[in-house]
Amino acid sequence: MPLSIFVHSTLEDLVDAVASEFIAKIRSRPADLVALPTGPISSAVYERIVRRERDRVPAEAVTAADPAFGFPDTPFVSVGEKFVDPTLAGPSMRDLLVDAIFRPLSMDPSRLTSFPENPTSTTEECWKMDRYVDSFGAVGLFFAEIDAKGRIGLSDGGTGFEMRSQVSTRCDEDDARSLFGQPLPKACGLSLGLQDVTDAEFCLVAAVGAETGAIVRHALGGLVDESYPCAVLRFCRGGSLHVDAEAGRAIGDDLLRRFTLNESEKESTAQALPFLG
């Protein structure tokens, strides 16, 4: 299969491995379009990438001595953007990415293409994003993380694998509105589609925790089920899925053996790092 699973004994090892692969992939194909997510794992990976770049290049040499600092030839796209909620104060997904990796690496934020927070026409914005991605042929490196519900980015359960950019909907379990006793989905933002995952040259994905591992096991091991967006990884052109020890145990040795597996020999500490709460 084109997807390889790597099991890491600690979250620290996982973050370090994902950061290393992220940098290596960009260095090997610097002009490819890179899709960036937001989330607890990706935030830790960005922090590690920034640290490595700063350790590699002294601050006084950034502007002149090392023009490769900050991936100067690489275009980026945000995996999605949430609509503005006037009742909640907080940064946009674009703001999070700019603060996490663009400013620390002295990269121009204009190199990050993203959906608007307040689109006047969701159809037009999705069309524009698809045309932008198509101008590169496809996403070169699709970086993502899987949450405990099997979601990738803003793609919720039931999202078709053939979908391109779209209005993302999620079911709010705390919402009093319901249909036949089930919470109603509601628009929450704009997102790249799962077809962008399958079309990507390479997918770099992370997942942690027993609950997420159990979802991954169901999504990758049984019949194809669009209830879990992460099942789209079964059709990716090439990719790496990095999981911690707890997720690895939940996925199970029988399923791991079906994939190229690199399991760390270190004893698992099974502890959460501060960035994961």
Side-chain angles (χ1 to χ4, degrees):
M1 290 185 179
L3 179 69
S4 299
I5 300 180
F6 298 84
V7 181
H8 302 278
S9 295
T10 68
L11 292 172
E12 192 70 31
D13 289 343
L14 182 151
V15 169
D16 192 62
V18 174
S20 296
E21 191 165 5
F22 182 97
I23 293 172
K25 289 295 181 184
I26 292 184
R27 295 286 186 228
S28 66
R29 300 183 60 154
D32 281 4
L33 180 64
V34 177
L36 300 176
T38 57
I41 307 172
S42 54
S43 294
V45 171
Y46 298 145
E47 182 180 347
R48 188 66 50 85
I49 292 169
V50 169
R51 189 191 313 167
R52 286 192 174 189
E53 285 293 282
R54 286 177 170 173
D55 289 344
R56 186 176 67 85
V57 184
E60 61 273 13
V62 167
T63 56
D66 191 347
F69 182 85
F71 316 115
D73 300 320
T74 304
F76 298 91
V77 61
S78 175
V79 169
E81 184 60 75
K82 294 181 179 179
F83 296 145
V84 173
D85 186 342
T87 65
L88 300 174
S92 66
M93 296 175 75
R94 178 185 178 85
D95 290 339
L96 290 173
L97 290 172
V98 169
D99 290 341
I101 192 168
F102 282 81
R103 288 202 177 97
L105 292 182
S106 301
M107 297 194 297
D108 185 350
S110 66
R111 290 169 52 197
L112 173 64
T113 299
S114 58
F115 293 102
E117 297 177 71
N118 278 312
T120 55
S121 170
T122 56
T123 301
E124 181 178 353
E125 294 300 335
C126 288
W127 182 87
K128 287 168 57 177
M129 182 61 77
D130 289 344
R131 299 291 76 73
Y132 175 72
V133 173
D134 289 345
S135 69
F136 294 91
V139 173
L141 175 62
F142 201 113
F143 179 30
E145 59 182 271
I146 302 171
D147 69 8
K149 293 187 177 181
R151 299 180 294 207
I152 293 180
L154 296 183
S155 296
D156 203 7
T159 301
F161 294 165
E162 78 288 350
M163 294 290 292
R164 295 292 306 279
S165 296
Q166 63 194 282
V167 176
S168 176
T169 60
R170 288 195 175 177
C171 290
D172 188 346
E173 296 176 356
D174 296 325
D175 198 323
R177 299 174 303 161
S178 65
L179 181 65
F180 303 116
Q182 298 297 319
L184 287 173
K186 60 183 180 180
C188 67
L190 294 175
S191 174
L192 294 180
L194 293 179
Q195 185 176 323
D196 292 306
V197 177
T198 59
D199 288 347
E201 290 290 336
F202 194 87
C203 297
L204 176 58
V205 187
V208 300
E211 186 177 0
T212 304
I215 292 294
V216 170
R217 176 179 176 82
H218 181 89
L220 299 183
L223 297 175
V224 176
D225 186 353
E226 291 186 348
S227 298
Y228 303 106
C230 64
V232 75
L233 295 177
R234 299 169 74 150
F235 309 107
C236 67
R237 299 169 64 181
S240 295
L241 172 59
H242 294 261
V243 303
D244 67 350
E246 291 185 1
R249 283 192 291 270
I251 293 172
D253 290 341
D254 59 326
L255 182 57
L256 291 175
R257 291 191 191 99
R258 292 168 52 184
F259 297 86
T260 303
L261 175 63
N262 178 21
E263 188 168 5
S264 173
E265 296 179 355
K266 299 179 183 178
E267 183 179 355
S268 172
T269 58
Q271 63 182 11
L273 295 183
F275 62 83
L276 289 174

